[in-house]
């Protein structure tokens, strides 16, 4: 039942974007490319940080995918900085 609301919201949002003369296909491909590059960057950075012996890992989940999809690699760097702040303070 919850998926119905997600699909309905997505359809309305895409309809709104098409009325605003936004190329929806290009936007989707761009966001998907950013998400995939974010996954690769997070995996590679986690591997390097583990090899250096640092306990500074970012999990790949929905939040990190949304951040990397919207902000790109700079958003992934932001998640690492945020993780560093949280682990150094606590």
């Amino acid at each position: 039942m919850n998926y119905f609301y997600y699909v309905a919201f997505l359809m309305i949002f895409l309809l709104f974007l098409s009325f605003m003369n936004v190329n929806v296909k290009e936007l989707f491909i761009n966001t998907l490319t950013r998400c995939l590059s974010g996954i690769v960057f997070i995996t590679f950075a986690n591997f390097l940080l583990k090899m250096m012996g640092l306990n500074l890992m970012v999990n790949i989940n929905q939040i990190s995918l949304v951040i990397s999809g919207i902000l790109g690699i700079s958003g992934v760097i932001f998640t690492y900085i945020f993780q560093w702040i949280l682990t150094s303070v606590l």
Side-chain angles (χ1 to χ4, degrees):
M1 186 68 175
N2 289 337
Y3 292 115
F4 174 74
Y5 294 117
Y6 294 141
V7 171
F9 174 76
L10 185 63
M11 296 299 286
I12 292 171
F13 183 68
L14 292 176
L15 187 64
F16 173 74
L17 287 178
S18 65
F19 282 133
M20 298 298 290
N21 292 329
V22 174
N23 190 352
V24 177
K25 184 189 286 186
E26 183 179 322
L27 180 69
F28 178 73
I29 292 172
N30 189 11
T31 305
L32 186 64
T33 305
R34 287 183 189 181
C35 284
L36 292 176
S37 65
I39 290 173
V40 170
F41 187 79
I42 289 172
T43 305
F44 184 69
N46 282 343
F47 175 74
L48 287 179
L49 291 171
K50 187 176 181 181
M51 294 293 287
M52 292 175 19
L54 296 174
N55 190 16
L56 187 65
M57 295 184 66
V58 172
N59 294 328
I60 298 174
N61 54 22
Q62 292 89 355
I63 296 171
S64 62
L65 288 179
V66 168
I67 289 173
S68 68
I70 294 173
L71 299 175
I73 298 297
S74 60
V76 174
I77 294 170
F78 168 74
T79 58
Y80 277 101
I81 292 171
F82 191 66
Q83 181 72 20
W84 176 67
I85 290 170
L86 288 179
T87 55
S88 65
V89 171
L90 298 177

